[in-house]
Amino acid sequence: MPKIKTEKKSRVHNEVAKQGIMFNKDFGQHILKNPMIITAMLEKAALRPTDVVLEIGPGTGNMTMKLLEQAKKVVACEIDTRLVAELQKRVLGTPYQQKLHIMVGDALKTELPFFDLCVANVPYQISSPLVFKLLLHRPFFRCAVLMFQREFAQRLVAQPGDKLYCRLSVNTQLLARVDMLMKVGKNNFRPPPKVESSVVRIEPRNPPPPIPYREWDGLTRIAFTRKNKTLGAAFRQTSVLTALEKNYALHCSLNNVTIPEGFDVKAKIEEILTEVEADQKRARTMDIDDFMKLLHAFNKNGIHFS
């Protein structure tokens, strides 16, 4: 009988091989094995003994155990029940047992509790939605020290004009200050991922800018659909015009405003873009202030994005 190969789907992590745990690539399981990287991440987080720390994807608990040494409480969110059992085993009968609270499930679908800090080696496939789930979480947390795939981390900190500057960059920087902390080579993980990693520090802006985030998100979505095209070209797309016309009609209806006779949404949008001198601008060169100015001009004229 031919031998069934399982190596392609997952690899055995030596420390838990005896429990028969296979690492699941669908969950992005790459365990950080270098204790010096873990120590450096905790130092950058500036933990206090009174802190409640959220950890997403604790894996076998290498970072969790270090967090438990320094924090008041650790909330670990883990989707894989086999790793939950491994984590519970590590704290069983230790002073840390009472300090660890494990939430079993998908971090993106779980209602997160209060926390002061978030420290995590993030499963790479949930990077983007997790960043925004954290940034829109209330009450505010102090900061997050997170490990991401290197290119994703570079996008978070990219500035207007940079090759990697994108919607992710401007949306994140609207809500937080983001700093690159360190690079982490693939050999620091077991099994090694195919990509290099980086650690970033994210500090939410508190209070946040006085902007309806869904409106902002809708505007940047259109602008960055073709980030190298002019805004004039981006807003002349039929699908965009149709959606904005529908939003305008809804806005007028909700505010008891009569839609002007012969209203032409395309002409109105071109007028607004010209008024703020944005018609020939490209999203890849625009900063937060440029987008704020544009959003204000649209909203003032009854054009909405959510």
Side-chain angles (χ1 to χ4, degrees), residues 20-37:
I21 293 178
M22 307 287 283
F23 280 98
N24 188 330
K25 286 189 177 178
D26 292 342
F27 295 155
Q29 288 173 349
H30 298 280
I31 303 302
L32 183 59
K33 65 180 184 181
N34 186 338
M36 292 178 70
I37 303 288

Side-chain angles (χ1 to χ4, degrees), residues 11-301:
R11 289 191 188 161
V12 182
H13 176 14
N14 295 340
E15 287 177 31
V16 289
K18 54 184 180 288
Q19 278 88 18
I21 293 178
M22 307 287 283
F23 280 98
N24 188 330
K25 286 189 177 178
D26 292 342
F27 295 155
Q29 288 173 349
H30 298 280
I31 303 302
L32 183 59
K33 65 180 184 181
N34 186 338
M36 292 178 70
I37 303 288
I38 294 171
T39 300
M41 287 179 70
L42 267 57
E43 283 174 358
K44 299 289 187 185
L47 252 84
R48 300 169 188 167
T50 53
D51 282 337
V52 174
V53 184
L54 173 70
E55 185 184 8
I56 309 291
T60 54
N62 292 345
M63 188 181 295
T64 318
M65 298 306 289
K66 292 286 185 186
L67 289 168
L68 287 165
E69 286 174 18
Q70 298 181 37
K72 177 185 172 185
K73 178 182 174 184
V74 175
V75 178
C77 192
E78 177 55 66
I79 196 170
D80 191 332
T81 50
R82 302 164 310 158
L83 293 177
V84 168
E86 175 68 16
L87 203 50
Q88 287 170 330
K89 212 174 287 181
R90 283 187 81 162
V91 297
L92 193 64
T94 73
Y96 301 142
Q97 193 173 347
Q98 298 303 315
K99 293 170 74 173
L100 177 63
H101 174 64
I102 303 174
M103 297 176 71
V104 185
D106 184 340
L108 297 179
K109 296 174 183 171
T110 303
E111 190 172 334
L112 299 175
F114 166 84
F115 59 96
D116 297 291
L117 297 174
C118 180
V119 183
N121 168 21
V122 178
Y124 292 165
Q125 70 271 33
I126 66 165
S127 297
S128 187
L130 180 66
V131 165
F132 291 102
K133 183 177 176 79
L134 291 175
L135 288 177
L136 298 172
H137 179 72
R138 298 295 179 267
F140 282 96
F141 58 95
R142 197 163 74 247
C143 84
V145 173
L146 306 172
M147 174 116 52
F148 294 116
Q149 181 176 331
R150 186 162 304 161
E151 187 174 298
F152 182 86
Q154 289 169 334
R155 289 179 190 277
L156 288 177
V157 300
Q159 296 300 304
D162 290 354
K163 187 182 175 185
L164 290 176
Y165 185 68
C166 60
R167 186 166 149 253
L168 173 71
S169 319
V170 74
N171 282 8
T172 307
Q173 291 167 34
L174 172 79
L175 299 173
R177 176 183 166 176
V178 192
D179 296 301
M180 188 76 79
L181 296 182
M182 58 183 160
K183 294 178 178 179
V184 182
K186 58 181 81 168
N187 292 331
N188 291 289
F189 299 88
R190 187 183 288 123
K194 291 177 181 174
V195 294
E196 301 294 331
S197 305
S198 289
V199 177
V200 301
R201 184 179 189 276
I202 297 176
E203 186 181 329
R205 298 192 191 280
N206 183 9
I211 288 175
Y213 182 72
R214 287 181 64 197
E215 287 274 326
W216 172 275
D217 188 51
L219 169 64
T220 59
R221 191 181 296 273
I222 294 168
F224 278 98
T225 302
R226 301 174 179 178
K227 68 174 186 175
N228 294 318
K229 300 269 186 186
T230 63
L231 287 189
F235 278 91
R236 276 193 286 273
Q237 295 175 86
T238 307
S239 57
V240 172
L241 292 171
T242 303
L244 293 182
E245 187 164 29
K246 207 179 279 185
N247 287 357
Y248 180 75
L250 179 63
H251 169 77
C252 290
S253 168
L254 292 172
N255 292 279
N256 295 320
V257 174
T258 306
I259 297 175
E261 201 173 322
F263 175 76
D264 181 347
V265 71
K266 185 179 178 184
K268 186 67 179 172
I269 285 167
E270 286 179 353
E271 178 192 313
I272 296 166
L273 289 172
T274 305
E275 181 191 319
V276 293
E277 299 178 344
D279 187 64
Q280 294 305 307
K281 283 186 177 173
R282 289 169 169 77
R284 63 181 172 83
T285 65
M286 294 172 65
D287 62 17
I288 286 173
D289 289 343
D290 293 330
F291 282 111
M292 279 186 176
K293 186 179 175 185
L294 186 59
L295 182 61
H296 177 70
F298 275 124
N299 287 175
K300 191 178 72 175
N301 284 276

